[in-house]
Amino acid sequence: MSVSVGIVGASGFAGSEIARILSEHPYFDVDVLAAASSAGSRFGDLNPHIPALADKIIQPSDVETLSSLDLVFVALPHGESAQITSALEGGPVVIDAGADHRLKSEESWQKFYGGPHMQAWDYAMPELVHADEAAAILSGKQKKAGTQREILRNSRAVAVPGCNVTAVTLAMMPAVASGFVTSGSIVATLAVGYSGAGRSPKPNLMATSAFSNIAPYSAVGKHRHIPEIVQNLQVCGADEIEVEMTPVLVPTSRGIVAVVNVAMDGVSNSELQEVYRAVYGAEQLIELSPGYPQSGPVVGTGRAQVWAGVNPDTGVLTAMAAIDNLGKGTAAVAVQAANLAFGFDECIGIYMNGVL
């Protein structure tokens, strides 16, 4: 089976990474690479690290051309994706790597993004544990999350999570699904590579600003990924939960390490380890790290590393997750969802080996 594919926003970091993964995929054939300002350029001039697609010419984002394909990835900033996705409705399978179709709450959308609120699409986190299946997973009767995977199978419209969202959700999900954390405030601090800010040149993203510099941003409740994290944890079974999140740009291109802290009551470290093993033990793309996760081993891959421990003196849970923001944080999970939508093994084509 051959699936014809288009990538809108192919010259950006996310679109280019989707192209890199698909260039070696056995079933997905990249027919159209589309973008705005770079239309007419040779793809290899912008992405010389992807020789298999180097001679393709980047095209304008023509809806008629895209509609003739089987699958379209859209990798555009929020507010821009919806213009394309609305025009493609009823045509190819569409996977949106932007924010336009992530949030169910119009109120949250208006508060953090603004502008028209679009319909929330099927959510591209196959490992997301739903509250009504948590008991079966924790008891061992069910090996891994199944509800979200079933939603994504044969889906026609898929929203890819935010990269910071994925890191925090994966760190906290077993603790929430087990009922160890159901309410209160979780505090997340994330070290984030600069590629998460996109490819557009901005003074604060230039090398002269990035080298030898550590720069927090979007603190005190301002980060747009906060309501999406809350939305995910409520799917897992949380009640009223708040997220304090501080991302920090660090001088590296790719990678995220999230460190999440939350108070628990009377949970031992052995109990904690048991639930993390139950939730992630059968997952191919999520591994429980014996030590604190680091970004290096997962850069260039679709894998995630997770670690959790509890301070016996304070009862505070510290959970950590490391991902490649362009891998498991965006492009790899987009391909993972596409695999499910077309009935393939979800891990086909996703890079497992890092680049150290």
Side-chain angles (χ1 to χ4, degrees), residues 102-115 117 221-231 234:
R102 294 173 185 165
L103 292 182
K104 300 174 184 177
S105 166
E106 182 175 0
E107 180 182 357
S108 294
W109 176 265
Q110 295 301 336
K111 179 179 178 180
F112 285 88
Y113 291 93
H117 175 246
K222 294 180 181 178
H223 200 284
R224 287 168 167 162
H225 287 175
I226 288 174
E228 193 180 341
I229 295 169
V230 172
Q231 179 175 282
Q234 287 176 338

Side-chain angles (χ1 to χ4, degrees), residues 48-100:
H49 62 297
I50 312 176
L53 302 175
D55 290 331
K56 284 191 171 292
I57 302 301
I58 298 175
Q59 305 177 26
S61 301
D62 178 68
V63 171
E64 185 175 349
T65 300
L66 295 169
S67 296
S68 67
L69 302 173
D70 300 315
L71 169 64
V72 175
F73 294 89
V74 181
L76 296 174
H78 81 271
E80 296 181 25
S81 295
Q83 301 175 32
I84 297 290
T85 61
S86 297
L88 294 175
E89 185 176 358
V93 172
V94 180
I95 297 185
D96 181 19
D100 287 12

Side-chain angles (χ1 to χ4, degrees), residues 52-349:
L53 302 175
D55 290 331
K56 284 191 171 292
I57 302 301
I58 298 175
Q59 305 177 26
S61 301
D62 178 68
V63 171
E64 185 175 349
T65 300
L66 295 169
S67 296
S68 67
L69 302 173
D70 300 315
L71 169 64
V72 175
F73 294 89
V74 181
L76 296 174
H78 81 271
E80 296 181 25
S81 295
Q83 301 175 32
I84 297 290
T85 61
S86 297
L88 294 175
E89 185 176 358
V93 172
V94 180
I95 297 185
D96 181 19
D100 287 12
H101 296 282
R102 294 173 185 165
L103 292 182
K104 300 174 184 177
S105 166
E106 182 175 0
E107 180 182 357
S108 294
W109 176 265
Q110 295 301 336
K111 179 179 178 180
F112 285 88
Y113 291 93
H117 175 246
M118 307 304 293
Q119 179 184 2
W121 283 0
D122 297 334
Y123 194 67
M125 187 178 286
E127 301 89 356
L128 185 63
V129 174
H130 287 238
D132 59 2
E133 64 179 349
I137 293 171
L138 294 169
S139 68
K141 294 179 180 178
Q142 181 176 324
K143 292 298 183 183
K144 57 184 178 180
T147 302
Q148 198 64 28
R149 287 182 163 94
E150 195 59 38
I151 290 170
L152 290 168
R153 288 187 180 95
N154 301 309
S155 177
R156 306 291 302 178
V158 178
V160 175
C163 54
N164 296 310
V165 177
T166 294
V168 176
T169 301
L170 294 182
M172 284 301 302
M173 186 162 59
V176 173
S178 65
F180 293 162
V181 176
T182 59
S183 61
S185 180
I186 69 172
V187 179
T189 304
L190 299 89
V192 181
Y194 272 76
S195 60
R199 209 167 197 168
S200 299
K202 299 175 183 177
N204 67 311
L205 303 179
M206 303 297 283
T208 51
S209 298
F211 287 168
S212 300
N213 191 32
I214 297 173
Y217 66 101
S218 296
V220 294
K222 294 180 181 178
H223 200 284
R224 287 168 167 162
H225 287 175
I226 288 174
E228 193 180 341
I229 295 169
V230 172
Q231 179 175 282
N232 287 349
L233 297 183
Q234 287 176 338
V235 170
C236 296
D239 297 321
E240 293 298 321
I241 199 162
E242 298 176 342
V243 175
E244 290 291 341
M245 174 177 166
T246 304
V248 182
L249 286 171
V250 295
T252 186
S253 174
R254 299 166 66 138
I256 294 175
V257 174
V259 181
V260 188
N261 291 296
V262 61
M264 296 191 301
D265 184 19
V267 178
S268 69
N269 193 61
S270 60
E271 291 173 316
L272 187 70
Q273 300 308 317
E274 185 177 344
V275 302
Y276 273 75
R277 284 193 297 268
V279 172
Y280 291 141
E283 291 292 352
Q284 292 177 268
L285 296 175
I286 303 174
E287 58 194 60
L288 293 174
S289 177
Y292 305 143
Q294 301 178 26
S295 62
V298 297
V299 166
T301 79
R303 295 171 21 244
Q305 288 189 344
V306 175
W307 178 94
V310 59
N311 185 331
D313 297 323
T314 64
V316 170
L317 161 70
T318 297
M320 304 181 190
I323 63 171
D324 182 341
N325 56 294
L326 294 178
K328 185 61 172 169
T330 308
V333 77
V335 175
Q336 187 181 1
N339 283 333
L340 285 166
F342 281 87
F344 304 135
D345 182 288
E346 66 187 82
C347 292
I348 286 180

Side-chain angles (χ1 to χ4, degrees), residues 5-20:
V5 179
I7 303 171
V8 179
S11 59
F13 282 135
S16 296
E17 184 67 2
I18 292 170
R20 184 178 78 95

